[in-house]
Amino acid sequence: MSDADAPWLVVGLGNPGPDYAANRHNVGFMVADLLAGRIGGKFKTHRSRAQVLEGRLGAPGTGSRRVVLAKPMSYMNLSGGPVTALRDFYKVPLEHLVVVHDELDIDYGALRLKRGGGDNGHNGLKSITKALGADYHRIRFGIGRPPGRMPVADFVLKDFSSAERKELDYFVDRAADAVECLVLDGLERAQNTYNS
């Protein structure tokens, strides 16, 4: 299988379990869930310690791409293990790996797409980069900085505020659109369209 025919692995980062479901740190899971709805499938448990859905992005006959959507079930700071196992199982080249995650240094709802770079203190990225190197795509979903002196760890593990929730569906939808654009049309087009 050539790299062009290889599947894309789209990983939404978060923490498993209902206590974390609406946390800012779980926005990657929210985007993965929305993409699963678009593909029209349900996540299944995979031996890699992740929830996985295989399908295609893009309309049939328009150059749709095979994708594996994944939500690691290992807790954020151990994401590298499941992501590596999935990459190996599905034979995904590193340039076909897309990680969707929350980003403190970007205003709420804004997106930034890039390939490679540092982890900016994000434990999920730190774990994946340690396992695989840094040369994968990131869709960084802005959550803003904590108010006042609130510790970062407390802020990311809190639910979105009621004001933020009013726009959350729109921003998650836009992030899912950015994933599709990246997979179907490439990074440059996706950056030009969605970087805000």
Side-chain angles (χ1 to χ4, degrees), residues 161-180:
S161 70
S162 54
E164 288 170 334
R165 281 198 299 272
K166 290 189 174 88
E167 295 180 292
L168 184 60
D169 287 348
Y170 168 77
F171 290 139
V172 169
D173 193 66
R174 194 163 178 271
D177 289 346
V179 171
E180 289 201 36

Side-chain angles (χ1 to χ4, degrees), residues 143-166:
I143 60 169
R145 299 293 304 180
R149 295 173 176 258
M150 183 190 289
V152 165
D154 293 348
F155 179 70
V156 299
L157 293 176
K158 282 205 176 344
D159 292 357
F160 286 100
S161 70
S162 54
E164 288 170 334
R165 281 198 299 272
K166 290 189 174 88

Side-chain angles (χ1 to χ4, degrees), residues 1-58:
M1 173 167 52
S2 77
D3 279 2
D5 301 325
W8 284 75
L9 175 57
V10 177
V11 178
L13 292 184
N15 286 307
D19 291 349
Y20 298 102
N23 288 179
R24 292 181 178 93
H25 223 16
N26 271 41
V27 76
F29 276 15
M30 297 172 197
V31 174
D33 287 338
L34 183 64
L35 286 166
R38 291 181 182 184
I39 288 172
K42 290 199 176 348
F43 282 99
K44 295 181 173 61
T45 302
H46 189 272
R47 66 180 187 222
S48 63
R49 289 180 305 146
Q51 296 280 315
V52 170
L53 169 62
E54 296 178 58
R56 297 191 83 80
L57 282 181

Side-chain angles (χ1 to χ4, degrees), residues 92-127:
V92 175
L94 202 53
E95 62 269 21
H96 280 202
L97 172 60
V98 181
V99 177
V100 184
H101 64 91
D102 58 302
E103 177 63 63
L104 288 159
D105 288 335
I106 301 174
D107 290 340
Y108 173 61
L111 296 176
R112 297 271 196 297
L113 285 72
K114 69 175 189 173
R115 181 171 166 188
D119 57 53
N120 208 20
H122 191 290
N123 288 331
L125 295 182
K126 203 174 284 184
S127 178

Side-chain angles (χ1 to χ4, degrees), residues 117-139:
D119 57 53
N120 208 20
H122 191 290
N123 288 331
L125 295 182
K126 203 174 284 184
S127 178
I128 293 168
T129 297
K130 185 175 178 194
L132 294 172
D135 197 26
Y136 53 90
H137 293 95
R138 298 102 188 273
I139 295 187

